[in-house]
């Protein structure tokens, strides 16, 4: 009895402590669920309600308009297969970027566009946060630790920085759910209900596929594959059964996602990316020296907040952001202190492996194994390897949760144990890495700047970065102190302190590396009226220009992004249903890209095309009626030696200026090629009047002065006499002393009478194509007369009618001004008949050509992307399998 009472008291204390811990854990779990549900609503819904939805960059230029088009197609009652507004007609489902088969995209058929976008973001962050919370809980971690891991995942790193690429974050948001399913499928004991986890794995995997971002698909395959392999190897006797069920989930998921990936792969095979290279694979690989960004996300520049220097290297901060917080580094370092080599590998070790593989993949071509990685299926055909930081981020978030769980459960009486001491010391070392990087960047001088790869002209800007480095250095020191004090704080204060520091870390990352906060936030500066610059000309949407065909925009340097947005340059033209020969998507038909020069392999293709496409018949055949360019497309500051024109006697040549210029003097370099030609020049005003400049004999540079500084929009040169001469690029001197040359890349291409000036739109010059082909036309077959043949549109878009009435007594060629991409079909129904016959579609250059039989009837064009039929079959099989799995 003397010994029993203390034992009974001790057991009672343990029971009461366990009950308190369980109750606190349940309260913490409920709190974290509330936080993870509320934060996305505040982050996305509130700005949208205030008129500032989270919609910018590639999302605004590409992803949002494409999803709007999908919603329009679904509301009209047909599958979203074709985009008639880009690239003269391009795949919508197979083009990936639209995510046409993704359930969240279908919201655009039910809700107003901005509301659908905002709800989609909220749901994406709910899925990511709550499934990461559930994953960490299933790994046996406390609710507070699991919540910290989930907050780090959704609030920092790739998920936050890459919100501008919505497909990537939507695809990655389902990865924790896939991991959760694998965790349950490999846990013992496995029972009948585990087949439902097979269904969860299949559904989550399919949703990653349907989000239509190849990078997210590849990263999910790496993360889930490594985790599944690790878990199966640890499963012992049940390894075979676990592997079978995981493979069943993968196969079912592939079938469920086939509607997207099968047409998508076939679209890639006929695109400009059908043949890639090692240079393509390596482009956008993370430089090794930029791994410092995992410790201090703004060491190379900020998002521009508070007047701090923006990202200094010639790249994009979004693409290299992989910072998930100091605690992620602490977990990566500190958890290694728990490992004993002679023991079975611990559960958390797989996340070190995932992080390491992710770093190698993100470095891409900058590693010794880059020449091997380029041959990996799916990876080798992609660029921008830095986006593989998503793999690193997820692993570091789980390791942060593991370390938080250790810290929250640390006991003061265990501080002297070797394992606990090693964990604490390594954790402190990880916490001090950001402080070390920040101090080195602040005090290192030009040597450190060169080591980080900063450009030579960035020295002054780099010196002004130190205020942005302080928060991360301070957080690192604070967390190091907290790690050193493991086991000394009571449970509740410990949770609050650690959570507060992690939350502060996330906020610092968002403000300095994601969101741009204006320097005068809350107190806008007021300029003196006399100091205000003249108002820029207002840019009207291209739809207001009454474009009756397709249009093209030339601004390869994206000199004026604001004006381009207001104009509605591709892909924003989808929102106004104004068709274009251009596009911004990542895929375009290979033949189309080669001929038009509209999109390069490396992704350089926004608002650019080959001048020869405008000068020749290419744009004419595509019914390109309007071309819009900045004056830089016509004028340059330096003369190009090959910018010459040959003009014969009696000929006239015109140099468009693209903007009214008050010219005082014109210099015309001339070279006689034959005879004795002479020339005369005149300035054309915006009203169409000609102001003579004079002239003279060719053979020497002619310097012609205007009687007064005349605002001109074109220079007209008329050649008289006999013979031919070569004109060099005219030098233009304005009344203010500015010197320009009429030798821009489009100067020759836009010469009349082919192209004529049609006014201005904001800073842009507008030209009209007088030779644009109509949407439909008939041509005679070889050896046959055309006779009284004619064609009339009956239905479909005006730019590319899909139902056509034809009369061709002797047969004819029907030419349709739409891109001849794979997937188009045509059928002919003779008048009075009830059956139709297929017609072969052959390319006539880039457009579609159909041989019509003699007689009259109706031609119907339809587009089914290659792989659609098989994709639908696999989709049906996947749905059937999914229903069986759920019902088991």
């Amino acid at each position: 009895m003397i010994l029993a009472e203390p034992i009974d008291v001790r057991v009672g204390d343990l029971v009461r402590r366990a009950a308190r811990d369980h109750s606190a854990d349940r309260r913490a779990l409920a709190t974290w669920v509330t936080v993870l549900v509320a934060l996305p609503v505040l982050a996305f819904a509130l700005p949208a309600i205030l008129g500032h939805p989270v919609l910018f960059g590639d999302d605004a230029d590409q992803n949002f308009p494409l999803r709007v088009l999908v919603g329009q197609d679904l509301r009209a009652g047909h599958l979203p297969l074709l985009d008639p507004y880009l690239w003269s007609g391009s795949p919508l489902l197979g083009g990936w970027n639209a995510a046409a088969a993704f359930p969240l995209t279908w919201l655009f058929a039910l809700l107003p566009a901005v509301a659908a976008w905002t709800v989609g973001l909220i749901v994406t962050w709910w899925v990511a946060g709550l499934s990461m919370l559930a994953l960490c809980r299933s790994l046996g971690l406390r609710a507070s630790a699991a919540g910290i891991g989930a907050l780090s995942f959704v609030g920092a790193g790739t998920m936050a920085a890459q919100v501008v690429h919505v497909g990537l974050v939507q695809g990655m948001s389902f990865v924790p759910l896939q991991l959760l399913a694998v965790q349950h499928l490999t846990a013992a004991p496995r029972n009948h209900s585990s087949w439902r986890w097979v269904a969860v794995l299949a559904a989550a995997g399919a949703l990653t596929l349907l989000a239509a971002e190849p990078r997210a698909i590849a990263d999910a395959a790496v993360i889930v594959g490594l985790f599944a392999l690790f878990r199966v190897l640890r499963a012992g006797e049940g390894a075979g059964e676990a592997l079978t069920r995981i493979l069943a989930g993968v196969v079912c998921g592939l079938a469920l996602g086939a509607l997207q990936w099968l047409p998508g792969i076939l679209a890639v095979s006929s695109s400009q990316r059908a043949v890639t290279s090692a240079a393509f694979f390596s482009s956008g690989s993370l430089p090794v020296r930029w791994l410092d960004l995992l410790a201090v996300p703004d060491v190379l520049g900020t998002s521009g907040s508070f007047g701090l220097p923006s990202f200094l290297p010639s790249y994009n901060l979004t693409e290299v952001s992989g910072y998930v917080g100091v605690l992620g580094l602490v977990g990566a370092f500190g958890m290694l202190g728990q490992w004993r080599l002679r023991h079975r590998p611990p559960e958390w070790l797989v996340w070190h492996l995932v992080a390491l593989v992710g770093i190698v993949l993100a470095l891409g071509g900058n590693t010794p194994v880059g020449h091997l990685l380029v041959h990996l299926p799916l990876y080798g055909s992609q660029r921008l390897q830095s986006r593989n930081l998503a793999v690193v981020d997820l692993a570091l978030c789980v390791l942060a949760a593991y370390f938080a769980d250790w810290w929250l459960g640390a006991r003061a009486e265990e501080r002297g144990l070797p394992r606990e001491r090693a964990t604490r010391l390594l954790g402190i070392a990880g916490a001090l890495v950001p402080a070390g990087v920040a101090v080195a960047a602040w005090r290192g001088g030009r040597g450190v700047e060169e080591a980080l790869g900063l450009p030579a002209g960035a020295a002054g800007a780099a010196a002004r970065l130190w205020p942005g480095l302080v928060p991360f250095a301070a957080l690192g020191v604070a967390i190091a102190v907290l790690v050193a004090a493991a086991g000394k704080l009571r449970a509740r204060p410990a949770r609050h302190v650690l959570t507060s520091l992690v939350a502060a870390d996330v906020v610092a990352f968002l403000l300095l590396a994601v969101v741009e906060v204006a320097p005068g936030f809350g107190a806008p500066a007021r300029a003196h009226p006399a100091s205000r610059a003249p108002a820029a000309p207002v840019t009207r949407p291209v739809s207001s220009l009454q474009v009756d065909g397709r249009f093209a925009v030339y601004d390869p340097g994206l000199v004026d992004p604001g004006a381009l947005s207001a104009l509605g340059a591709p892909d924003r033209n989808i929102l106004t249903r104004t068709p274009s020969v251009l596009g911004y998507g990542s895929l375009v038909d290979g033949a189309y890209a080669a001929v038009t020069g509209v999109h390069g392999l490396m992704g350089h293709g926004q608002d650019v095309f080959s001048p020869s496409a405008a000068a020749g018949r290419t744009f004419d055949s595509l019914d390109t009626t309007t071309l819009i360019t900045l004056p830089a497309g016509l004028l340059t500051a330096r003369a190009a030696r090959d910018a010459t024109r040959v003009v014969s006697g009696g000929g006239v040549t015109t140099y468009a200026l693209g903007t009214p210029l008050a010219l005082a003097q014109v210099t015309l370099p001339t070279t006689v090629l034959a005879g004795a030609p002479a020339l005369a020049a005149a300035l054309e005003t915006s009203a169409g009047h000609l102001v003579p400049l004079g002239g003279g004999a060719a053979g020497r540079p002619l310097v012609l002065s205007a009687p007064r500084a005349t605002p001109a929009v074109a220079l007209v040169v008329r050649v008289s006499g006999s013979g031919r001469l070569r004109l060099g690029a005219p030098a233009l001197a304005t009344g203010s002393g500015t010197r320009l040359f009429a030798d821009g890349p489009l100067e020759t291409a836009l010469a009349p009478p082919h192209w004529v000036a049609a006014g201005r739109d904001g800073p842009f010059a507008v030209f009209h194509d007088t030779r644009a082909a109509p949407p439909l036309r008939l041509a005679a077959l070889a050896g046959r007369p055309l006779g009284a043949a004619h064609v009339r549109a009956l239905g479909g878009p005006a730019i590319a009618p899909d139902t056509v009435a034809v009369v061709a007594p002797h047969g004819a060629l029907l030419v349709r001004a739409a891109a001849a991409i794979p997937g188009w079909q045509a059928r002919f129904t003779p008048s009075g008949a009830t059956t139709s016959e297929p017609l072969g579609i052959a390319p006539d250059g880039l457009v579609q050509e159909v041989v019509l039989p003699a007689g009259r009837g109706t031609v119907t064009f339809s587009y089914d992307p290659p792989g659609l039929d098989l994709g639908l079959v696999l989709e049906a099989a996947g749905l059937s399998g999914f229903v069986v799995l759920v019902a088991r």
Side-chain angles (χ1 to χ4, degrees):
M1 295 294 296
I2 297 176
L3 296 176
E5 185 174 349
I7 292 176
D8 291 342
V9 171
R10 191 176 303 122
V11 171
D13 288 342
L14 291 175
V15 171
R16 284 190 292 272
R17 179 186 296 179
R20 286 197 303 270
D21 290 346
H22 180 70
S23 177
D25 203 50
R26 292 183 62 181
R27 289 195 301 272
L29 181 62
T31 300
W32 275 110
V33 169
T34 303
V35 168
L36 293 171
V37 169
L39 281 179
V41 176
L42 294 175
F44 300 120
L46 186 58
I49 292 172
L50 296 176
H52 300 283
V54 180
L55 182 58
F56 54 93
D58 280 3
D59 282 344
D61 290 335
Q62 174 180 270
N63 300 317
F64 178 74
L66 289 169
R67 283 158 174 76
V68 170
L69 178 58
V70 171
Q72 293 171 352
D73 284 350
L74 292 174
R75 280 197 302 273
H78 56 81
L79 294 175
L81 305 178
L82 179 76
D83 181 351
Y85 304 110
L86 304 179
W87 315 122
S88 305
S90 62
L92 185 61
L93 174 66
W96 292 93
N97 296 114
F102 187 54
L104 289 180
T105 304
W106 303 342
L107 291 172
F108 284 82
L110 306 173
L111 301 173
V114 173
W117 177 265
T118 302
V119 171
L121 291 178
I122 292 172
V123 173
T124 296
W125 260 257
W126 281 350
V127 171
L130 295 176
S131 60
M132 177 59 85
L133 180 70
L135 171 64
C136 292
R137 290 288 288 163
S138 75
L139 295 174
L141 306 182
R142 291 173 175 81
S144 295
I148 285 172
L151 178 61
S152 300
F153 182 60
V154 299
T158 297
M159 285 295 294
Q162 292 283 2
V163 66
V164 70
H165 299 124
V166 70
L168 179 59
V169 296
Q170 287 181 331
M172 286 299 299
S173 70
F174 291 97
V175 174
L177 190 57
Q178 297 170 51
L179 295 169
L180 179 64
V182 170
Q183 168 73 10
H184 280 278
L185 290 173
T186 54
R190 283 167 292 280
N191 51 40
H192 187 71
S193 65
S194 65
W195 283 105
R196 295 184 181 178
W197 283 108
V198 176
V200 172
L201 176 60
L207 288 167
T208 292
L209 290 168
L210 296 175
E213 169 52 54
R215 178 67 60 193
I217 296 170
D219 287 348
V222 169
I223 297 169
V224 179
L226 288 174
F227 183 69
L229 178 62
F230 184 85
R231 293 284 302 173
V232 167
L233 291 176
R234 292 173 59 89
E237 294 181 357
E241 182 184 354
L243 180 60
T244 299
R245 298 194 179 194
I246 290 172
L247 290 177
V250 171
V251 171
C252 184
L254 286 171
L256 286 170
L259 190 59
Q260 176 61 64
W261 64 260
L262 188 54
I265 287 176
L266 294 176
V268 172
S269 68
S270 63
S271 76
Q272 91 284 13
R273 292 192 176 184
V275 179
T276 58
S277 64
F280 173 82
F281 168 81
S282 298
S283 63
S285 294
L286 184 72
V288 176
R289 56 180 175 258
W290 287 4
L291 288 174
D292 286 349
L293 292 167
L294 293 173
V296 180
D298 61 350
V299 72
L300 299 178
T302 71
S303 58
S305 291
F306 310 112
L308 295 173
S310 298
F311 193 63
L312 298 173
S314 56
Y315 198 45
N316 189 321
L317 180 57
T318 294
E319 300 289 6
V320 295
S321 290
Y323 177 84
V324 295
V326 176
L327 200 62
L329 296 174
V330 172
F333 280 77
M335 290 308 297
L336 291 175
Q338 296 281 303
W339 187 19
R340 291 298 177 265
L341 291 175
R342 295 182 180 180
H343 293 77
R344 190 185 189 197
E347 290 276 353
W348 46 261
L349 189 61
V350 64
W351 302 109
H352 284 85
L353 176 62
V354 172
L356 180 61
V357 171
I359 288 174
V360 172
L361 294 176
L363 295 174
N366 294 324
T367 68
V369 296
H371 66 286
L372 299 177
L373 295 176
V374 70
H375 298 294
L376 288 178
L378 191 59
Y379 269 99
S381 61
Q382 299 183 63
R383 63 188 186 96
L384 301 175
Q385 303 304 325
S386 60
R387 292 186 183 179
N388 292 315
L389 285 170
V391 178
V392 185
D393 287 356
L394 188 144
L396 290 180
C397 289
V398 178
L399 287 171
Y402 266 109
F403 190 87
D405 187 77
W406 171 85
W407 187 85
L408 291 170
R411 297 286 181 261
E413 60 270 17
E414 298 175 343
R415 290 171 61 90
L417 296 178
R419 180 177 299 183
E420 305 303 308
R421 185 168 60 249
T423 301
R424 185 178 294 104
L425 292 176
L426 288 172
I428 292 171
L432 292 178
V433 169
V437 171
V439 171
W442 175 42
R443 302 291 297 175
R446 186 58 194 159
V448 172
E449 292 171 0
E450 291 177 354
L452 291 175
L454 294 181
R464 294 188 285 108
L465 272 174
W466 68 266
L469 306 179
V470 170
F472 301 103
L475 283 165
V477 172
I479 292 179
V481 172
L482 206 60
V483 173
K488 292 187 175 182
L489 297 178
R490 294 174 63 87
R492 187 171 182 179
R495 290 197 303 268
H496 291 168
V497 171
L498 185 59
T499 302
S500 298
L501 286 176
V502 171
D505 206 350
V506 168
V507 171
F509 170 76
L510 292 174
L511 294 181
L512 293 171
V514 179
V515 179
E516 182 179 356
V517 182
F521 182 71
R526 296 183 178 181
H528 190 277
S531 66
R532 292 175 182 168
V538 176
T539 303
R540 295 171 294 162
V542 68
S543 57
S544 69
L545 302 180
Q546 298 180 343
V547 178
D548 56 359
R550 293 189 175 89
F551 76 96
V553 180
Y554 192 82
D555 182 12
L558 304 181
V559 176
D560 195 338
L564 287 170
S565 296
L567 182 70
D571 294 350
R572 292 177 184 244
N573 62 304
I574 293 173
L575 301 177
T576 58
R577 303 190 182 190
T578 311
S580 175
V581 292
L582 306 184
Y584 179 49
S586 57
L587 295 180
V588 58
D589 181 72
Y592 189 95
V595 174
T596 59
V598 296
H599 202 292
L601 179 61
M602 297 298 184
H604 305 296
Q606 188 175 4
D607 303 317
V608 65
F609 52 83
S610 171
S612 62
R617 296 182 53 203
T618 300
F619 276 3
D620 299 344
S621 67
L622 293 167
D623 193 13
T624 311
T625 58
T626 305
L627 192 150
I628 303 165
T629 179
L630 288 176
L634 302 165
L635 305 175
T636 63
R638 301 181 65 181
R641 295 181 180 178
D642 59 348
T644 60
R645 301 185 187 183
V646 176
V647 188
S648 300
V652 177
T653 187
T654 300
Y655 296 88
L657 307 182
T659 185
L661 292 176
L663 297 179
Q665 189 179 80
V666 174
T667 302
L668 294 172
T670 65
T671 303
V672 175
L673 300 178
L679 54 81
L683 298 177
E684 182 179 344
T685 67
S686 57
H689 302 306
L690 294 179
V691 178
L693 290 176
R700 57 186 175 80
L702 291 181
V703 179
L704 308 174
S705 298
R708 62 186 183 280
T710 303
V713 295
L715 171 66
V716 181
V717 179
R718 184 180 301 275
V719 178
S720 59
S722 61
R724 292 181 302 126
L725 62 81
R726 178 184 292 116
L727 279 172
L732 313 171
T734 66
S736 61
T738 303
R739 188 173 175 84
L740 299 169
F741 295 88
D743 64 347
L746 296 181
E747 189 61 72
T748 301
L750 298 184
H754 187 177
W755 293 90
V756 296
R760 295 181 55 75
D761 185 6
F764 300 99
V766 181
F767 292 85
H768 180 70
D769 185 359
T770 62
R771 301 175 186 171
L776 300 167
R777 62 185 177 88
L778 295 177
L781 293 170
R784 301 187 195 178
L786 191 58
H790 64 271
V791 59
R792 177 169 55 92
L794 297 178
I799 190 66
D802 54 24
T803 306
V804 178
V806 295
V807 175
H810 308 285
L813 284 175
L814 171 60
V815 182
R816 185 169 179 257
I821 60 174
W824 278 106
Q825 302 169 7
R827 301 190 69 87
F828 177 72
T829 305
S831 295
T834 57
T835 59
S836 62
E837 58 183 276
L839 299 177
I841 296 180
D844 177 19
L846 292 181
V847 298
Q848 301 169 17
E849 181 181 85
V850 174
V851 178
L852 297 175
R856 65 174 62 218
T858 303
V859 179
T860 304
F861 292 87
S862 61
Y863 176 78
D864 288 333
L868 176 64
D869 292 341
L870 180 56
L872 289 171
V873 170
L874 292 175
E875 192 75 29
L879 284 171
S880 301
F882 180 77
V883 171
V884 170
L885 290 172
V886 172
R888 283 181 68 100

